[in-house]
Amino acid sequence: MVVFLGCAVCGGVAMGLIKLTAVSFSYIPDKPVISGLDFELCNAERIALSGANGAGKSTILKIMVGLLQPDGGVVEAFGRVRTKERDFYEVRSRAGLLFQDADDQLFSPTVIEDVRFGPLNQGLSQTNADIKAHQALQIVGLSGFEDRVAHKLSGGEKRLVALATVLAMEPEVLLLDEPTAGLDNKTMARLVGILEDLPQAMVIISHDQNFLKKLVTRRVNLVPT
Amino acid sequence: MVVFLGCAVCGGVAMGLIKLTAVSFSYIPDKPVISGLDFELCNAERIALSGANGAGKSTILKIMVGLLQPDGGVVEAFGRVRTKERDFYEVRSRAGLLFQDADDQLFSPTVIEDVRFGPLNQGLSQTNADIKAHQALQIVGLSGFEDRVAHKLSGGEKRLVALATVLAMEPEVLLLDEPTAGLDNKTMARLVGILEDLPQAMVIISHDQNFLKKLVTRRVNLVPT
Amino acid sequence: MKGVDGRVRIIAAVLFAVVTTACSRLDILTAIMFSAVLLAWFARLPVVETIKKLLSMDGFILILIATLPFTTTGTHWFGFSGFTASVEGGQLAMEIFLTANACMLSFLALVAAMPHPAIASGLRGLGCSKNLIQILLLTIRYIETLRLEYQRLRTAMQARGFQPRNNLHTWRSYGYLAGMLIVRSLDRADRVLAAMKCRGFRGSFPTVAEDAKLTKADYVFLWWFFLAVLFVVVWQWG
Amino acid sequence: MHVVDGVLSAPVLAIGGFVAVGGLTVGLKQVTSEKIPQVAMLSAASFLITLIHIPIGPSSIHMVLNGIIGLLMGWVAFPIFLTGLLLDAIFLGFGGLLSLGVNLSLMALPGVAVHYLFAARLNQSQRPFLWGACGGAVAIAATGLLAALALGYSSTAFIPAAKVVIVSHIPLVALEAFLCGSAIALMSRVKPELFLATPQLERD
């Protein structure tokens, strides 16, 4: 077991949250999408992850929370090396992943049921999960949407509900995969406002340079293998 | 019956292709998505249709080809007022709609069967439909893809095949709903090249300003109601 | 066997199943099982995958095969702690085991190994309802699309800390997942119908490609098959 | 439910085949060409859903869902489950050719029964969960019972196995009731137009 010793990038002062060392991954054998990747996210950082299509940006986020198993390398999260599915249960609770397509994230009849799904998985009681859900909806400015049908909301509203489902779990890290794709300017401005006010460290994948400029503290560029 | 008298926007010189007058539409009663919309597409125009999420851009394309019936207003296409489902049979043959999700459009076992589905419905013989299908595949640069299976194509290839299914019917107008969504830069460049060379008038919905800049001759902005 | 017509292969599979089910002698069933293995070899079925499929089917009949020797009365075979197995019961169990596996293996070789559109056109050639064929073709087309949709929903649930357990929360979530998949598949059906209408669909599918004539290879295959069937019939009942 | 070839007796196979052909005829008559995409997508979705394994007690089982399909589609359950069974056979190698009729009847007939029993009550009901659960429970219980009958009638030697089938269906009934209830509750919220009228019944 490798003990986590603080962050090299930011000088070891801040606490390291997620660290990938020499990680490689391939969907098809012998066609690696990622190889020998080193990456580190520290406290209070907001990192933009950029690179061409097919460079494996989404793949990296999935590896961080254990939805994909790397072929090689070490994944450390919150001070511990994570290898097995069981190791990642805690990681998924502390690092919230917002998917590209909000439709894929919403599967409940009403908004409130979707938002409290995460807290319930964390073992909270129904009442406490409801409290967390209401708080999360308030953060994204959708109080009053509790009983709406998520499936019938507009694309922008769905994205915000999806963000609320992640925030309700009170994660320490946010992993955002193309959060602005398909959003109009007004909703995008609203999203930037919400994200700016959030204290969490973030890894953001986005093609939108204006959006990134407003948020990120550091950029990591992926070169396709 | 309203007689169509040429185009007000382009000065009455060019022929008007599709014209909406005071069109309104609502999915849920009393919550109109569109109200009192006027729109006109003339010969050789390429119009960008923009507007916020939920402003009804896709809805407008569907109204144009009669997939949705407006609550009020007049739809004219190719010089005639269209009201009933039967009226739109001809419209759908002359105005080709490219769907957001190419998977919805590719419903046949193989690529060639998909591409000749339209020409066969237009009443062409098997041989002539095959010729049209091969031509269309050639235009989008996918000759040799005839016997491929739709669900095994990449996202970009699916979009191009979907475009071929539309082009095989030799429409006079193209209605494109987010044609670049999810495409990588290479495929996007290829798509721009194909669309630039096409003679058809177009209505394009897209959030991608770079893409629009290269193609469109006029912009119409929808204000949400 | 690759070039054999779909209709011929489907008829052969049905014939195989009828004859095999009607047979009761273990020696003949063993010979039939052997010929099913031959068919599988001709069809180049992948070995490991095929054995896995057979085993998972055997799981279904395990209870039946395990209980039959003890529940059938007859000549004493063996016994333990008050249960006695009969020879007749053992034979019956063996008969079912051989029949089920032979039928399935022949089906995999004769029908399932064909490309899916070929199965559909074979069924159409045999007079199957046209609408049913269209349903089958569309279903096959969209299985993978819907599976990916399901997979994305499932991954998103996992990312939010979902762990299947024995509780109401788990079962409710699965219920919602199933319901949502149905809703989304119905939405997709609407969009596909719209796409069809846009390409001139007015209620009937364009009929293309009447069925090809049977080739010499088809007849050769059929004759061999009939001879084998005749041989089995004479052996069992002659 | 997958009864394999070689188990059932000729009369049982014949009855199954007869019911299946009858059900398919009625079902396909209701499938206009406009409805083909809908029926196909439901076939694909129900096939996929049956592949989901759900933990119950120390083991796991999969959903059958003939209650939901029956409630929604009535007689059209026959073509839907025929497609599903064909796919089972082609992709997974389950079931058998001769027992196809029996297997289809075991799945679809309870669905049709549930449609006549509960669909009208479900439509515009304030308690979709309740009626969905009833539909799910009754359909799967009937399937188990019919399967046991088919086995028992084929040979007296199968009666113990038939009893096992019935016993093993008891947890399935409880689970299916809860899952179908939840699924129907979701659908009535998200797509209420599915439950506005009783289109299947009106046509007859």
Side-chain angles (χ1 to χ4, degrees), chain C residues 17 21 53 56 61 64 71 99-100 104 107 116 131-132 138-139 142-143 146-147 166 171 175 179-180 185-187 203, chain D residues 4-6 31 33 36 38 40-41 47-48 54-57 82 89 91-94 98 157 160-161 178-179 183 186 191:
Chain C
T21 312
K53 284 179 183 171
S56 77
I61 50 174
L64 208 57
T71 55
T99 309
M104 166 128 125
F107 176 81
H116 305 141
N131 279 1
L132 196 61
L138 267 182
T139 307
Y142 281 102
I143 283 253
L146 295 187
R147 195 189 65 80
N166 270 306
W171 295 327
M180 192 47 102
S185 68
L186 288 172
D187 287 348
Chain D
V4 300
D5 277 348
V31 181
S33 56
I36 285 177
Q38 203 182 57
M41 294 303 162
F47 171 76
L48 284 171
I54 295 161
I56 181 165
L82 176 69
F91 288 122
L92 309 172
F94 290 170
L98 295 187
F178 194 81
L179 289 165
L186 175 133
K191 222 171 159 62

Side-chain angles (χ1 to χ4, degrees), chain B residues 1-6 15-19 75-82 90-91 94 172:
Chain B
M1 164 132 171
V2 182
V3 180
F4 189 80
L5 286 170
M15 199 193 79
L17 294 168
I18 295 180
K19 187 179 175 186
V75 180
E76 288 168 71
F78 307 106
R80 281 181 51 201
V81 173
R82 315 278 174 166
E90 189 205 347
V91 179
R94 296 172 72 178
E172 294 157 52

Side-chain angles (χ1 to χ4, degrees), chain B residues 102-122:
Chain B
D103 268 318
D104 294 338
Q105 222 158 351
L106 306 178
F107 43 74
S108 304
T110 59
V111 167
I112 186 73
E113 286 173 88
D114 249 324
V115 184
R116 74 179 169 213
F117 183 86
L120 284 175
N121 281 326
Q122 288 177 317

Side-chain angles (χ1 to χ4, degrees), chain B residues 171-216:
Chain B
E172 294 157 52
V173 172
L174 289 176
L175 310 172
L176 311 173
D177 195 350
E178 296 281 2
T180 63
L183 293 189
D184 60 61
N185 295 335
K186 226 174 97 189
T187 317
M188 172 132 51
R190 200 166 150 190
L191 184 68
V192 171
I194 296 166
L195 293 178
E196 273 177 338
D197 288 346
L198 289 174
Q200 280 93 343
M202 298 180 195
V203 182
I204 309 174
I205 298 176
S206 176
H207 281 98
D208 188 330
Q209 295 304 326
N210 285 326
F211 171 75
L212 291 177
K213 232 177 264 168
K214 286 175 197 145
L215 282 172
V216 305

Side-chain angles (χ1 to χ4, degrees), chain C residues 127-227:
Chain C
C128 217
S129 137
K130 249 174 81 183
N131 279 1
L132 196 61
I133 301 294
Q134 284 301 339
I135 292 169
L136 187 61
L137 283 173
L138 267 182
T139 307
I140 290 172
R141 159 67 184 90
Y142 281 102
I143 283 253
E144 182 62 10
T145 310
L146 295 187
R147 195 189 65 80
L148 290 175
E149 225 170 272
Y150 159 72
Q151 203 61 54
R152 288 195 300 270
L153 275 168
R154 196 55 215 275
T155 308
M157 287 169 81
Q158 222 181 330
R160 280 196 275 160
F162 181 65
Q163 301 161 40
R165 289 202 184 98
N166 270 306
N167 57 28
L168 284 187
H169 170 66
T170 299
W171 295 327
R172 184 182 300 113
S173 303
Y174 274 120
Y176 285 167
L177 179 63
M180 192 47 102
L181 277 173
I182 291 176
V183 166
R184 290 173 68 144
S185 68
L186 288 172
D187 287 348
R188 189 177 289 279
D190 290 342
R191 297 199 300 271
V192 169
L193 180 64
M196 287 176 164
K197 283 182 178 172
C198 279
R199 298 230 297 280
F201 179 74
R202 291 174 205 176
S204 70
F205 287 87
T207 40
V208 280
E210 61 292 347
D211 296 295
K213 285 234 162 66
L214 294 187
T215 61
K216 203 181 145 203
D218 293 328
Y219 285 111
V220 171
F221 178 83
L222 263 183
W223 276 115
W224 274 108
F225 205 84
F226 280 135
L227 276 179

Side-chain angles (χ1 to χ4, degrees), chain B residues 27 57-69 88 92 97 99 175 177, chain C residues 191 194:
Chain B
Y27 289 98
K57 301 187 290 293
S58 303
T59 308
I60 292 174
L61 297 192
K62 285 182 192 150
I63 288 173
M64 286 177 181
V65 294
L67 291 173
L68 294 173
Q69 306 301 325
F88 283 101
R92 289 175 197 153
L97 173 56
F99 284 56
L175 310 172
D177 195 350
Chain C
R191 297 199 300 271

